[in-house]
Structure formats: C-alpha cells, structure tokens
Amino acid sequence: MNDEFFDDEQELMEAQVAAASEDTVIVEDAAAPADAEAPEREPSARRDAPPFWMVLAIAAISLVLGVVIGYLVGTTATISKLESESAQMSQAQAGAGDASSATLPDGHPQLAINEDGSASLADDASSES
C-alpha cells in the first residue's frame, strides 16, 4: 500500500517536471532571437526584495530587543555599583566607630550635650581656666 502511494507521487512529480521542461523549451524558442546575448536565468534564482511590512517588523523587533538588553545591562551595572558603594560605606562606618559621630570636624565649636537634650559649648569651660 505504501509503495502505491509513493509510485503515484513519483508519477505526478515526473509529469510536472516534463510539463515544466516543455514550457521552458517553448519560452526559450520564443525568446532566443530577441535575447541572444542575455545570460540564462532560472526562475528560482531570481531574488526579490522582502515586503515592506517585513522590514518594519524586523526593525521593531530589533528596537525592542535593544531596549530590553540595554535595560538589563544598565540595571546590572547600577546594582553592582550600589553594592560596592554600600560595602565601602559600611566599612568606613565600622572603622570610624561611635566617637567620630559625636565630634564635629576641625574648625567647628565642640558641643557638650546634656542629659536633658540641651547643648552648650565645650570650649567655654576650657577657655576660662
């Protein structure tokens, strides 16, 4: 049964090839005097430009992929930069300790903070003596 199917298909393909070769001979005979110098071309060798909608679709897909990839790369770079800065700040704070947070930089008056929350200049007591 399988052989009969393939035999029928083979016969159809041979008939199509024979019909195509007859058409080619007729066309060649008609075109031979007019185009004697033109090179022969097969119909399957002709290349057409893609339709315009396909060009637009490819451009849109490329644009979307570029935006997505750029977003992912930018996000990854930003997160890694923030993580490294966070680690550096935590190391700096751990190394400085609590004493540096209670003192002001050089050139500023030092404050003495009382238990009730009021503050007074610490330099007043040292300058009077």
Side-chain angles (χ1 to χ4, degrees), residues 25-118:
V25 170
I26 293 171
V27 170
E28 287 177 1
D29 290 341
D35 297 329
E37 296 178 8
E40 289 186 31
R41 285 190 164 176
E42 295 180 15
S44 62
R46 195 178 94 206
R47 297 186 65 164
D48 292 335
F52 187 68
W53 66 267
M54 190 178 295
V55 174
L56 288 178
I58 291 170
I61 291 169
S62 300
L63 180 65
V64 169
L65 285 175
V67 168
V68 168
I69 291 171
Y71 175 78
L72 292 175
V73 168
T75 303
T76 304
T78 303
I79 288 174
S80 66
K81 179 74 173 171
L82 288 174
E83 286 177 352
S84 67
E85 287 180 4
S86 174
Q88 289 175 356
M89 291 193 66
S90 64
Q91 288 176 355
Q93 287 177 354
D98 292 331
S100 67
S101 64
T103 60
L104 294 173
D106 292 333
H108 292 280
Q110 296 298 319
L111 299 175
I113 300 174
N114 301 330
E115 290 180 12
D116 64 349
S118 62

